[in-house]
Amino acid sequence: MAQSLRIAQISDTHIGASHEPYNGVDMRGQFQRVIAELARRPLDLLIISGDLALMDGEIEAYDWIKQQLADFPVPYLIMLGNHDRLETAMSVFNLPKEDVHHGEFYFYRQFNECHCLFLDTSSYYLSLNQQQWLQQMVQQIKGDILLFMHHPPTLCACQFMDQHHALRNYQEVWQFFLTLPSIKHIFCGHYHTGCDITVSDKWIHLTPSTMLQIDRVSSELVLDKKIFGWRMIEWTQNQPLKTTVEYLQN
Ligand SMILES: [Fe+2]
């Protein structure tokens, strides 16, 4: 029987230190609704792709998220975004020390025959160390690779975010990515939008925020607080990858 892996990706939860809504958004309530929905789904893994905390790695946010996921039916992995802090996240989530390299949190996991790589762009850069590590990993891995990183590795036709919040070394990073043909699916957050775009030979899958969405067309910051969502990823050996974005409404 073909091996498979079912992942839910949530992103940019931006949980604050208090229970109070922020700019009219109840991040904790929305997070709970998303988790309750995902707990009913057939899943193998939950990935939280960065910006767990509202602003600056608030420990109350990490404590609360950990508490909310204590009874979640499948394992979860966290990644760092630019609003997260490694030391605090390590202390709360007991992150493995061997996944921390010179102050950055990046790692590899294998699930069945599916190979997953997780990068750290919390500095707004993809460091040279990580690029070298990625190159080594890609050379070693035989089989399908799913790559997860908080920031998209290049511009994504999202006017406001591309202009103001893109990965700072995206030009160098994208040139490097183009030398890695086995990287075909890149799953990101940070842009607070849900879409799938192709650039050259690769798919970039942007996953919506569980907090609020940012308009892709406007060059001004236009927020959508009515919907919040997540991404489902279904990998089956020797079959095309399936992935969809889903939303709940306020
Ligand atoms: Fe971010």
Side-chain angles (χ1 to χ4, degrees):
M1 199 173 124
Q3 307 236 30
S4 65
L5 181 69
R6 298 160 301 184
I7 302 171
Q9 181 193 358
I10 64 173
S11 202
D12 300 85
T13 56
H14 287 291
I15 301 299
S18 85
H19 288 265
E20 293 302 308
Y22 179 81
N23 276 342
V25 181
D26 174 15
M27 291 88 81
R28 292 188 182 210
Q30 293 181 185
F31 182 98
Q32 286 172 324
R33 284 181 60 192
V34 170
I35 290 303
E37 177 64 34
L38 292 177
R40 290 194 285 269
R41 304 294 183 92
L43 280 182
D44 300 304
L45 178 67
L46 172 68
I47 292 171
I48 314 179
S49 57
D51 284 358
L52 282 69
L54 177 59
M55 289 292 178
D56 193 21
E58 293 91 330
I59 193 165
E60 298 87 347
Y62 295 157
D63 281 335
W64 186 85
I65 289 171
K66 186 178 179 183
Q67 193 189 349
Q68 296 299 310
L69 292 173
D71 296 323
F72 196 72
V74 299
Y76 67 95
L77 283 175
I78 72 156
M79 300 162 54
L80 299 181
N82 46 293
H83 289 279
D84 294 311
R85 291 293 169 264
L86 175 60
E87 294 286 310
T88 318
M90 278 186 80
S91 70
V92 173
F93 292 104
N94 303 315
L95 304 179
K97 286 194 180 64
E98 56 269 27
D99 293 338
V100 179
H101 317 268
H102 302 101
E104 295 185 312
F105 179 57
Y106 53 95
F107 51 98
Y108 162 76
R109 296 285 186 277
Q110 182 177 350
F111 304 96
N112 302 326
E113 287 302 314
C114 184
H115 305 269
C116 297
L117 296 166
F118 301 88
L119 303 179
D120 177 353
T121 60
S122 58
S123 66
Y124 255 93
Y125 290 86
L126 185 69
S127 67
L128 203 51
N129 281 339
Q130 287 186 76
Q131 293 179 44
Q132 287 165 352
W133 176 81
L134 184 57
Q135 184 149 42
Q136 285 166 10
M137 295 306 296
V138 162
Q139 282 166 359
Q140 288 168 24
I141 293 169
K142 304 278 175 273
D144 291 349
I145 299 175
L146 306 182
L147 179 65
F148 293 85
M149 56 194 294
H150 179 70
H151 288 69
T154 189
L155 302 183
C156 291
C158 298
Q159 298 306 323
F160 176 81
M161 292 303 281
D162 279 347
Q163 284 169 33
H164 299 282
H165 296 287
L167 186 71
R168 298 213 172 113
N169 61 339
Y170 76 85
Q171 288 171 312
E172 162 202 327
V173 167
W174 190 247
Q175 285 307 309
F176 165 60
F177 273 32
L178 290 177
T179 69
L180 306 173
S182 58
I183 301 287
K184 296 199 186 315
H185 291 281
I186 305 162
F187 297 90
C188 310
H190 183 61
Y191 270 31
H192 288 241
T193 191
C195 64
D196 304 84
I197 62 166
T198 48
V199 188
S200 300
D201 61 336
K202 303 183 194 307
W203 280 99
I204 300 176
H205 306 283
L206 299 181
T207 293
S209 165
T210 63
M211 180 198 192
L212 53 77
Q213 314 315 312
I214 297 175
D215 185 77
R216 290 199 290 272
V217 177
S218 175
S219 55
E220 306 294 318
L221 177 61
V222 176
L223 303 177
D224 180 352
K225 300 178 184 175
K226 293 194 192 71
I227 57 169
F228 50 99
W230 63 88
R231 175 177 290 281
M232 304 298 290
I233 303 164
E234 196 178 331
W235 172 85
T236 307
Q237 199 171 22
N238 302 322
Q239 286 187 29
L241 189 87
K242 289 184 198 163
T243 181
T244 52
V245 166
E246 298 180 36
Y247 294 96
L248 294 175
Q249 283 189 341
N250 275 315

